Amino acid sequence: MNAEKIVVEDIEFVPVNEENFSEVQHIYAQGLETRNATFETTVPNWEKWNRSHTLHSRLATIHNGKMIGWGALSPVSDRCVYEGVAEISVYIHEDYRNRGVGKIIIQKLINESEQNGIWSLMSGVFPENEASIHIHVLEGFRIVGTREKIAKLDDIWRDTVLLQRRSKIVGSD
């Protein structure tokens, strides 16, 4: 696979929906295989995925007619005081990693989140996923801390790095 950077002008964003969800599942499964993307061990079905993500800010990234990545937001709580706080998830097709796609998706999700009243984006990233941490920091996230031994994956306690990005335009009063 050609390792050229992907530029935003060469991609199209479409909403993640039930019709394209099998492609989302495929990319999600690739993330699961790395064991450095999520604590989940199985790919969710549409109903579960749909329930756990916001109705806005769920997008697939298309390049030359192929889905190469996706990103979505999940509420962090159902308490009304946290209605402007969401967790960001980004997954990239294995053939398109390290080509700038993650950065493009994060930028688009930041924009969409702010258009939908989100004032704080959170992300929990395994410390071994250095590329993801780096991209988040480049896009204005700050490392809040490390959640030590927060959960087990494959019966091994794992840490996550907690990152946060506070909007400069939403909730800044």
Side-chain angles (χ1 to χ4, degrees):
M1 177 58 61
N2 188 344
E4 286 182 27
K5 289 286 184 193
I6 303 292
V7 294
V8 71
E9 293 80 16
D10 292 339
I11 61 173
E12 174 188 3
F13 293 105
V14 299
V16 171
N17 56 41
E18 193 168 6
E19 289 72 41
N20 63 17
F21 191 67
S22 65
E23 294 171 89
V24 169
Q25 288 176 304
H26 176 70
I27 294 169
Y28 193 93
Q30 291 175 346
L32 290 177
E33 290 171 8
T34 71
R35 290 304 201 238
N36 284 324
T38 180
F39 282 105
E40 297 295 332
T41 57
T42 59
V43 177
N45 63 26
W46 167 251
E47 290 75 21
K48 181 178 179 184
W49 190 93
N50 188 45
R51 276 193 315 273
S52 65
H53 291 83
T54 62
L55 295 178
H56 62 80
S57 307
R58 39 167 77 183
L59 53 97
T61 307
I62 310 298
H63 181 257
N64 292 332
K66 176 181 181 178
M67 186 182 295
I68 62 171
W70 63 269
L73 302 183
S74 301
V76 298
S77 175
D78 59 3
R79 294 180 58 201
C80 63
V81 296
Y82 297 113
E83 66 187 7
V85 183
E87 184 172 5
I88 187 172
S89 296
V90 175
Y91 287 81
I92 310 302
H93 189 286
E94 62 189 2
D95 293 341
Y96 290 85
R97 293 181 189 149
N98 300 308
R99 295 179 62 189
V101 178
K103 180 177 179 175
I104 292 168
I105 293 173
I106 289 174
Q107 289 171 345
K108 181 72 169 172
L109 283 173
I110 289 169
N111 185 8
E112 287 201 8
S113 72
E114 291 176 337
Q115 290 175 14
N116 286 280
I118 301 296
W119 60 76
S120 187
L121 289 175
M122 308 297 291
S123 186
V125 180
F126 289 122
E128 296 83 0
N129 194 342
E130 294 173 1
S132 182
I133 293 169
H134 179 72
I135 293 168
H136 279 82
V137 170
L138 284 177
E139 293 308 315
F141 285 75
R142 67 184 178 87
I143 296 174
V144 176
T146 299
R147 297 183 289 189
E148 296 178 5
K149 297 182 179 178
I150 191 74
K152 284 186 175 183
L153 177 62
D154 300 327
D155 209 32
I156 298 169
W157 285 105
R158 300 284 301 269
D159 298 345
T160 58
V161 175
L162 181 61
L163 298 112
Q164 177 186 19
R165 183 188 185 281
R166 183 70 168 85
S167 173
K168 292 176 178 52
I169 62 173
V170 177
S172 60
D173 48 343

